[in-house]
Structure formats: C-alpha cells, structure tokens
Amino acid sequence: MNYVRNAWYVASWSQDLDTEKPFAITILGERIVIWRTAEGSLHALEDRCVHRLAPLSLGRCEGERLRCMYHGLLFNPDGEVVEIPGQELIPATARVKHYAVVERHSWIWVWMGDARAADPALIPPAVGFDHPDYVLGCGQLDYAAEARLINDNLLDFSHLTYVHANSFGTGNDFAERQPKITMLARGVRFERWIRGGIGNAAIRVSEEPMDRWQSYDFLIPGVLLMWSAGYPLGTAEALDYQQPRQEDAITGLNFTSQAVTPMGEKTARYFFSWGPHRRHGDEQMRDNMMKVAGQAFAEDKVMIEAQQRVIDETASPQIMPTSHDRGVTLFNGLVRKLVQTENAGARDAA
Ligand code: FES
Ligand SMILES: [Fe+2]
C-alpha cells in the first residue's frame, strides 16, 4: 500500500467510541484497538496480544490499562505488559506497538507514523458536531475497494454529471468545465462557480436560477472539506470568478467533511457528514440532505467496487488520464513525494 504514514487517519466517529468498550479497526493493514477510559482519556495499541495473539479488543479496561481476556496479561497505554498472572518476571520484549490518538471535530484520529513524531497541528480542520454554525448529519460506508480509488473519485468531480445524475442532479457543468485547482502544502484545493443553475436537489429551496460557489480542500491522507452556497445571478462575473464571502450567500450555505481510511489492501471505510448552516437550513433540511447523500454515496460505491473488480481481473492495468485528472495527478504526486521522504528518513535512521 502506498500511503503516507505520518498523517492522521480517521478511525471512528467520536460518538461510536463508548467508555471502556475497546474498539477494533484495521488501518493500513495494522490491527488497532482504541479505548476510552472512565476518566475520558483515549489510548490506542496494536490489537494483538504479545502472548498468543488474541485480540486486545476483546479485553477489559482497568483504569488506564487494558487486560487481555484470554490469559490475563495487563497492558499499560504505552503497550508495555505490566502484569503476567502467575509469573514474577516480565520480559523486556513483552510489549505491543502504541499509537498516538486524538479526538477532534467529532472524529477519532490515529497517527500511523512514529507516535513520538505525531503532530496534532496536522489534523485537517474538519467541521464536527461541536461546531456552532452547522446542523450536521453523518454516516459511513465500508468499501470492498482500495482507498486510493475513493480518493481518486473525490479528486475528480466530473463524475457527478454521470454517477450522480439521479441523486444530486448536478447537470452537465461538472463534466464540461474545469475547476480552478491550487496546490496546498498537504493537499489540493478545488474552486468553481456554477453559473445560472438551479442547484443541487438536496439543498434546493427554490427553482430560481442562481450562481453557485463550491470549494473544497482534499488533504493528506484523504480528507475532503467542502463548502458551497448560492448567490444572486451575476455574482460570479461581478467577482471575476474569485471566492465569494460566506456571509453574502443568499441560500444553501452548507458544509461537508469526508474521510477515506485505508483498512486492508482492498478495503476502506468512508466517513462523511453534511448539513446546512443554521442561517440557511434546519434539522429537516439536514435529514433531506443526508437522504440524498446516502443515495449518492451508494452510487459511488457501486461504480468504485465494480472498477476494483475489473482492475483485479486485468493483467497489467493501465489508466489513460483526461484533463479532469489534474487534481488526481497532483494529489497522488504529493502522496508519492511524502512517502519517498518518509522512506528516505527511515533509511537514514537505520
Ligand atoms: S493471548 Fe493474551 S494473555 Fe494469552
Ligand atoms: Fe461521487
């Protein structure tokens, strides 16, 4: 798998991690157990007991520690065994890997690189349920496909015209015109005006044509943060196609945060939230939006999983990029560069 390790991967929604209920997830092929203590702290370890490889996620929380419930080895949050029932001596090798884990923007984030190098400043600025301005709904989908294919999908919205003709109903604009694309330090930014459309079916409040703005950042390791809104007809031209102010939106201001987490070689979990700004919608609108999102993301899943099956059956799969692939190419180039830097660092250290 070709993914950046020195990055924060979404492991779960905050609300899905119950107190003292160990939670298991595989990220980049590594089995991880995450737990929330009664005191409220979070810990993450390799989900594999050093004794006989039972999953620690079947274990029992004891204060800040986690006990393997097969033969009772007790682990501290650093992954060291601190108790072996019936044995005085604890070998120095009695430890499992420990991961840095942080809760922010309603997500549980795990740093897949060296825990000592974990930098919370690199957590993408998603919008969570604690944000005062947005009314959000959320969901997740498991994919039988490589995470990179989902990233590629989110980096090329020309598919909206075809894949989402029945759900979002976005029209031809996405396939016919290119967004403005800007390289960021850890991602790619997409900006576009859609002039004179009637807008996305999920957030449409009137059939009046208007100018719609849409802008998103796609950030390492695979996090999409997007806002869009409607403006009076003619705004795009008046602003010379530059970014408008959110305060000037007349309708449909909304935000979505999405994260793609590579689990195994060909499995991934896709997390998403979406909803209107409080000035532009309410719980009812959020529920409508989530219904349309559910339909749309199921459309992506059908296409991407089918694409994965064809790739798997192809002897040496080659792609032929089009002009819409620019964002895909830039992002994958950035991943390649960061992975090379990490590998070079690892070689130097060795
Ligand atoms: S496998 Fe964990 S204590 Fe034996
Ligand atoms: Fe899509």
Side-chain angles (χ1 to χ4, degrees):
M1 274 189 276
N2 206 28
Y3 295 99
V4 178
R5 295 201 64 90
N6 290 328
W8 295 96
Y9 286 83
V10 173
S12 164
W13 290 102
S14 281
Q15 64 264 29
D16 293 343
L17 196 66
D18 292 332
T19 299
E20 299 204 316
K21 291 247 174 59
F23 170 87
I25 185 169
T26 298
I27 303 179
L28 297 182
E30 298 179 15
R31 301 175 66 105
I32 299 171
V33 55
I34 305 169
W35 76 100
R36 192 196 293 284
T37 69
E39 297 293 318
S41 43
L42 280 183
H43 304 302
L45 296 180
E46 176 183 351
D47 190 14
R48 184 186 291 113
C49 181
V50 70
H51 176 222
R52 285 181 171 272
L53 317 184
L56 296 178
S57 50
L58 292 181
R60 181 171 75 197
C61 299
E62 297 185 5
E64 297 299 307
R65 298 160 167 183
L66 184 63
R67 188 180 296 279
C68 177
M69 287 303 277
Y70 200 176
H71 314 94
L73 264 65
L74 184 65
F75 293 80
N76 72 15
D78 292 329
E80 295 158 350
V81 175
V82 290
E83 189 187 310
I84 301 178
Q87 175 176 324
E88 287 287 311
L89 186 76
I90 298 175
T93 52
R95 59 180 311 153
V96 296
K97 185 170 172 185
H98 130 263
Y99 297 85
V101 57
V102 169
E103 182 166 21
R104 193 174 291 177
H105 315 308
S106 305
W107 272 331
I108 308 294
W109 305 82
V110 175
W111 177 267
M112 292 303 292
D114 185 339
R116 288 164 302 187
D119 180 1
L122 294 180
I123 295 176
V127 168
F129 295 101
D130 50 348
H131 196 293
D133 292 344
Y134 289 93
V135 192
L136 298 172
C138 73
Q140 66 186 58
L141 279 174
D142 277 359
Y143 264 78
E146 192 185 338
R148 190 184 54 82
L149 298 182
I150 309 171
N151 291 348
D152 292 352
N153 167 282
L154 296 171
L155 287 156
D156 173 7
F157 272 16
S158 69
H159 80 272
L160 265 68
T161 300
Y162 300 98
V163 176
H164 304 310
N166 295 326
S167 53
F168 289 137
T170 23
N172 291 337
D173 204 274
F174 282 83
E176 285 169 2
R177 299 184 48 232
Q178 308 283 345
K180 177 181 169 201
I181 293 181
T182 315
M183 201 68 207
L184 307 171
R186 279 175 77 85
V188 182
R189 173 166 296 166
F190 300 76
E191 297 168 303
R192 71 165 84 222
W193 278 102
I194 302 114
R195 289 191 309 156
I198 52 168
N200 184 316
I203 46 174
R204 192 147 67 217
V205 285
S206 91
E207 300 289 316
E208 285 295 302
M210 66 182 91
D211 286 352
R212 291 198 60 81
W213 167 263
Q214 185 197 69
S215 154
Y216 68 95
D217 291 351
F218 196 81
L219 303 169
I220 296 288
V223 176
L224 178 146
L225 305 177
M226 175 166 86
W227 71 276
S228 52
Y231 294 82
L233 213 53
T235 305
E237 221 165 353
L239 289 178
D240 199 20
Y241 298 91
Q242 297 304 303
Q243 174 173 315
R245 299 187 330 153
Q246 289 192 350
E247 308 85 272
D248 297 336
I250 52 167
T251 180
L253 175 59
N254 68 89
F255 199 95
T256 175
S257 305
Q258 305 177 13
V260 181
T261 298
M263 296 186 1
E265 283 283 350
K266 286 171 189 170
T267 52
R269 190 161 290 168
Y270 176 46
F271 300 90
F272 51 89
S273 68
W274 196 26
H277 191 282
R278 288 186 189 282
R279 276 193 287 117
H280 293 254
D282 53 12
E283 279 74 11
Q284 175 71 51
M285 179 184 271
R286 172 201 61 199
D287 293 347
N288 292 342
M289 291 168 76
M290 288 309 291
K291 213 189 284 158
V292 177
Q295 190 189 343
F297 298 155
E299 291 164 342
D300 286 311
K301 183 169 144 82
V302 167
M303 183 61 78
I304 293 169
E305 290 183 340
Q307 178 195 16
Q308 177 75 69
R309 288 192 293 275
V310 175
I311 291 172
D312 290 347
E313 287 166 12
T314 306
S316 68
Q318 300 292 331
I319 56 155
M320 185 213 71
T322 70
S323 57
H324 282 294
D325 280 278
R326 193 162 155 250
V328 180
T329 307
L330 286 173
F331 185 81
N332 289 334
L334 174 65
V335 170
R336 211 173 309 118
K337 200 181 93 193
L338 291 171
V339 168
Q340 275 168 4
T341 308
E342 286 180 4
N343 291 345
R347 273 196 306 275
D348 289 351

